Amino acid sequence: MKISVIGLGYLGSTHAVAMAQLGHNVIGIDPDDSRVQALAAGTLPFFEPGLEDALRQAISSGNLSFQTDHDDLSAVSDIHFICVGTPQISGQQSADTSYVFAAASQLAAVLRPSSLVVGKSTVPVGTARNLITNMRKATGFTPKLCWNPEFLREGTALADSMSPDRIVIGSDDLEYNQALKSCYQKMIDQGIPVLELDLETTELVKVSANAFLATKISFINAMAEIAEASGADAVRLAEAIGLDNRIGKSFLRTGIGFGGGCLPKDIRGFIARADELGVGESLAFLKEVDQINLRRRQRIVSLATEELGQVSNKKITMLGISFKPDSDDLRDSPALEIALRLQALGGIVTVHDPVSLEALEKKSSGLISESDLLAALKDADLVILGTEWADYKKLDPEAVSSLPRVKTIIDGRNVLSVEAWQKAGWRIIAPGRNIVND
Ligand code: UGA
């Protein structure tokens, strides 16, 4: 099939590669010329394991090309996927849908009645219907439009795109869905379930799934607060309740909380949309989910302050700065926020991260970047594990024990072996646990 993918951020780049892998003829479109040139040369604008190789293969197979605007070739696409971002509006809770409306209006100028428009961006409920109205005004016909949310996670983006748990399609007419189902036929043949719903339910599926995941994480982090106050251990608690199949162990990892470009802004946008709909009370609990999450960051700052006595002029080493491992995404990263708060308290914060230091440099944060892990640990008064990269999980505490000035580590992600680190002479502190160090 002939496909255009509009918006080449995380979602769009991954989707364009995935569609090319399915054998379609894909044109990626983004107004950012430098991004388009980089992608056309086989370079991703972000780090994502395996995606750059797949991008290069797709380009050399002739299935994937990039351009900055629609042209006669892209206009005849069977399907146009809208994959632009919907960031949180600065100073507000709501999602900024202006990129979605701008992409739709540019598309409307070239859209043919036979082509299908598929929205994949995460949008507030009601957006798709407004888009149809706008596009109808611009084109003079009712566009065929489906909504088809994406559930990929950074770090496993391509695998999630190619093998999602489900394909959800929303539209006003089941006929519209046919072209999209043909596009995904190879995936459907693998047995991936397809749910065909109305537009509003489909929009809600995406934001409510993210709200549920965020709630699960904040639930266990609330238990961590109780555990800290009562002498219990939230990691063992999560293990015990997670074994109940009705609860499940995924997204029950306690630590410094969730971040990234999706969960935080999606719960806030959802709260704002519920307010607009006059049912703000229904999502009042999500405000608490957000607050519990943000408190975890301050908790680490407090633990660090308790350990150091005073933070000023102390050398603090932050291991990992991205919001999660296998990603260089610093958006709303808990580790980054903790590092900046400790720096604001006068700490000399050195950051190590296997891939995100380049992204950190662009922020001019004043944090000290150190690409050599051993050099980062040298002379530290305190080490904090902020992102659970594999490199840190397999660190030998014995081998690095002579490096810091003070052998204390805060395991912000609860991934280190307390026994092994203590045996090597370290004090180990972890949120939600009451670890006794001699
Ligand atoms: C999330 C969803 O998981 C995807 O399904 C969704 O498609 C995506 O948002 C999106 O809306 O685009 P992502 O933000 O890439 O994906 O990452 P997650 O794996 O969900 O992790 C989010 C945050 O939660 C990370 O900071 C992670 O460290 C944290 N987390 C995750 C925990 O603190 N505890 C857990 O048990 C799991």
Side-chain angles (χ1 to χ4, degrees), residues 376-429:
L377 292 169
K378 186 114 183 58
D379 296 331
D381 292 298
L382 176 68
V383 180
I384 303 176
L385 190 152
T387 314
E388 69 277 32
W389 285 93
D391 289 7
Y392 308 143
K393 289 201 265 186
K394 59 181 193 234
L395 251 186
D396 177 355
E398 190 77 54
V400 294
S401 68
S402 63
L403 295 171
R405 213 180 59 76
V406 181
K407 287 194 283 178
T408 301
I409 185 162
I410 299 180
D411 178 6
R413 297 292 188 165
N414 281 305
V415 288
L416 301 178
S417 157
V418 173
E419 201 192 340
W421 282 75
Q422 286 184 332
K423 211 165 144 226
W426 288 74
R427 268 174 70 70
I428 176 162
I429 296 148

Side-chain angles (χ1 to χ4, degrees), residues 295-307:
R295 281 205 296 272
R296 287 286 84 189
R297 301 176 185 189
Q298 188 50 38
R299 173 70 182 151
I300 301 294
V301 174
S302 305
L303 285 172
T305 311
E306 273 167 39
E307 278 308 305

Side-chain angles (χ1 to χ4, degrees), residues 122 150-154 206 210 213 217 221 250-254 257-263 266 323-325 334 388 413:
T122 302
E150 179 59 60
F151 302 102
L152 66 83
R153 291 160 299 173
E154 296 188 20
K206 171 67 194 198
N210 275 0
L213 294 172
I217 300 169
N221 282 334
S250 69
F251 277 73
L252 269 193
R253 281 184 289 109
T254 174
F258 59 80
C262 301
L263 299 193
D266 284 353
F323 86 104
K324 68 184 283 191
E388 69 277 32
R413 297 292 188 165

Side-chain angles (χ1 to χ4, degrees), residues 62-230:
N63 276 356
L64 181 58
S65 62
F66 297 97
Q67 56 196 49
T68 51
D69 215 339
H70 298 281
D71 62 6
D72 291 348
L73 204 62
S74 69
V76 296
S77 294
D78 301 302
I79 304 182
H80 299 280
F81 286 101
I82 298 181
C83 296
V84 296
T86 52
Q88 187 177 339
I89 299 176
S90 167
Q92 291 181 36
Q93 299 274 296
S94 26
D96 181 356
T97 55
S98 62
Y99 300 102
V100 178
F101 282 94
S105 97
Q106 282 152 18
L107 176 60
V110 297
L111 186 67
R112 309 195 164 199
S114 58
S115 300
L116 177 68
V117 181
V118 177
K120 288 195 78 67
S121 309
T122 302
V123 291
V125 60
T127 304
R129 202 156 294 290
N130 289 337
L131 274 186
I132 293 175
T133 308
N134 283 16
M135 292 179 90
R136 191 190 294 126
K137 275 188 205 145
T139 57
F141 59 84
T142 301
K144 292 189 202 171
L145 183 135
C146 293
W147 217 260
N148 169 228
E150 179 59 60
F151 302 102
L152 66 83
R153 291 160 299 173
E154 296 188 20
T156 50
L158 190 56
D160 287 349
S161 288
M162 298 300 286
S163 271
D165 291 339
R166 72 293 204 195
I167 294 168
V168 183
I169 305 174
S171 67
D172 281 340
D173 186 338
L174 286 177
E175 271 302 306
Y176 298 169
N177 303 2
Q178 290 309 326
L180 188 55
K181 289 200 285 184
S182 305
C183 172
Y184 291 154
Q185 195 57 51
K186 283 189 188 160
M187 286 153 63
I188 296 169
D189 289 346
Q190 291 167 26
I192 294 164
V194 180
L195 285 92
E196 297 178 86
L197 313 170
D198 59 85
L199 285 169
E200 286 75 13
T201 308
T202 304
E203 292 168 318
L204 278 176
V205 166
K206 171 67 194 198
V207 281
S208 58
N210 275 0
F212 190 84
L213 294 172
T215 304
K216 229 180 149 185
I217 300 169
S218 276
F219 175 84
I220 200 62
N221 282 334
M223 294 308 108
E225 293 184 339
I226 308 287
E228 281 158 8
S230 62

